[in-house]
Amino acid sequence: MNILSIIENKVNKRALSEEEIRFFIDGYVQQEIPDYQIASLLMAIKLHGMNPTETAHLTMAMVHSGHTMDLSSIEGIKVDKHSTGGVGDKTSLVVGPLVASMGMKLAKMSGKGLGHTGGTIDKLESIPGLTTSLTEAQFLQQVQTVGMAIIGQTKSLVPADKLLYALRDVTGTVQSIPLIASSIMSKKIASGAQTILLDVKYGNGAFMKTIEEATVLAKAMVAIGQTLGRDTRAILSDMNEPLGLTIGNRLEVKEAIATLQGQGPKDFTALCVEAAAVMAVQAKLFATYEEASPHVEHQLISGKAYQTFENFIHAQGGDLHVFSIPSLHETHTELPIIVAQSGYVTSIHALTLGLLSVSLGAGRLTKEEIIEYNAGIVLLVKPGDKVRSGDRLCTLYSNKSLQKEWATQALKAFTIEEKAPKVAISTLQMIQ
Ligand code: URA
């Protein structure tokens, strides 16, 4: 077997065997196959795709490229969730404590944000004192005692994905369903949980722009998980509008705390309850989603989920005092965005505000950039709200000096029309 024949097979639209897939993954990780040959193969895969069996083999070859997490010492059902990323997406900060407060064990590894989508690790690291680098023993111990832990991706887990992703990024091969699905699922499988819930987002602020593309990706990932013996399900959620009312790390943590205390925005609370209820069904705590939902809501109202959140944050060294003092918002620049005409807010473009939040300092465009934790955007309106000329639509917070284009960009994100829009109530869209 050699890499040229594997490339030729894919160019000729043939399915690759398990051995061929292992050969190129192992050869690449061991630096026996050069970048240019793997880049050529990735392009052939992007153009001709992979069938579900090939995609599952690719996922497992990537899993076997490194260390895998053994969660067997933890008692209970080990659960995991993953979001494909969005603007204002702080779901894990609420869903984690919700499911842990119900007795599930959440052992989660997360990534940092890049571009317009934020990352859970950045949000957690905006909490003073909190560490996301635990040893494996500390991680397992915390999941056992607190019910949850969230740490950064360890270097030893799925090294093949780090190498392949970096190469895909510079060779125009990121947008490929089998490559995205195997990249995400290899990390989830290597993390060891028994059940996996995927929150696959669609819309202008998401990786997948349409619900059709998101459905194809969700089905591919669910098929991989099921083939590999993990209860894997996906929910599809709208990312045309920012989630909740905040974008930016500390602002989002503050909103997650309010949500855990039963005072969160409707859209964000609904998504968290939906995700936690599906996870409770996966963990077999309830037979149906309809049965699970009221129990999940009770965990919010009773304060039990918030108590678990506090335990989790304290176990990882975090100090939550900063979130109860008004100076949280204190930044060098605070810019109110005022609407000129009266009418109804019919849409708020997530991507535009996501990119603006990066300019304000709340996100990064390169891995090396430093994030400003207090920076971000607070929305005062959501689609469907009536506004009058002179009302504030949102406030921008930044430690950079004021730039003229910020206000123009922020205003562009809001569509104001005379007629009230029909605001759709989100309903569960599940792939299983
Ligand atoms: N996220 C990942 O982890 N991998 C991809 O390929 C795309 C998004």
Side-chain angles (χ1 to χ4, degrees), residues 151-341:
I151 56 171
Q153 210 82 48
T154 65
K155 284 205 175 72
S156 57
L157 208 93
V158 202
D161 180 59
K162 285 187 191 77
L163 293 171
L164 280 182
Y165 196 86
L167 188 60
R168 286 167 56 205
D169 211 17
V170 293
T171 56
T173 50
V174 168
Q175 286 293 345
S176 151
I177 296 284
L179 296 179
I180 298 171
S182 56
S183 164
I184 292 174
M185 288 305 291
S186 61
K187 288 172 282 196
K188 294 286 110 185
I189 300 287
S191 305
Q194 293 157 284
T195 75
I196 301 163
L197 177 69
L198 304 159
D199 176 9
V200 182
K201 302 207 174 285
Y202 60 88
N204 65 62
F207 207 49
M208 296 286 133
K209 300 299 173 199
T210 65
I211 193 165
E212 290 77 19
E213 285 176 289
T215 305
V216 174
L217 177 62
K219 284 186 175 164
M221 293 195 287
V222 168
I224 295 172
Q226 303 292 18
T227 305
L228 301 176
R230 311 287 170 97
D231 181 320
T232 307
R233 305 183 195 194
I235 52 175
L236 300 177
S237 61
D238 189 344
M239 191 27 77
N240 284 301
E241 321 280 339
L243 193 53
L245 292 166
T246 59
I247 306 165
N249 297 282
R250 280 201 182 139
L251 297 169
E252 290 189 45
V253 173
K254 194 170 180 184
E255 188 169 53
I257 291 172
T259 305
L260 283 160
Q261 293 171 334
Q263 288 154 15
K266 269 197 214 139
D267 62 334
F268 177 55
T269 305
L271 179 63
C272 293
V273 170
E274 192 173 276
V278 175
M279 289 171 81
V281 174
Q282 289 181 279
K284 300 196 167 43
L285 299 187
F286 299 95
T288 64
Y289 171 76
E290 288 69 26
E291 264 179 70
S293 285
H295 287 269
V296 173
E297 278 165 17
H298 175 74
Q299 298 304 105
L300 282 185
I301 295 157
S302 65
K304 287 189 179 145
Y306 181 70
Q307 188 55 56
T308 305
F309 174 78
E310 269 198 1
N311 297 345
F312 148 60
I313 297 299
H314 293 155
Q316 291 190 212
D319 179 350
L320 291 167
H321 283 109
V322 70
F323 297 97
S324 51
I325 51 176
S327 63
L328 171 66
H329 287 331
E330 267 176 22
T331 47
H332 178 71
T333 305
E334 182 177 328
L335 180 66
I337 303 297
I338 307 295
V339 64
Q341 84 259 43

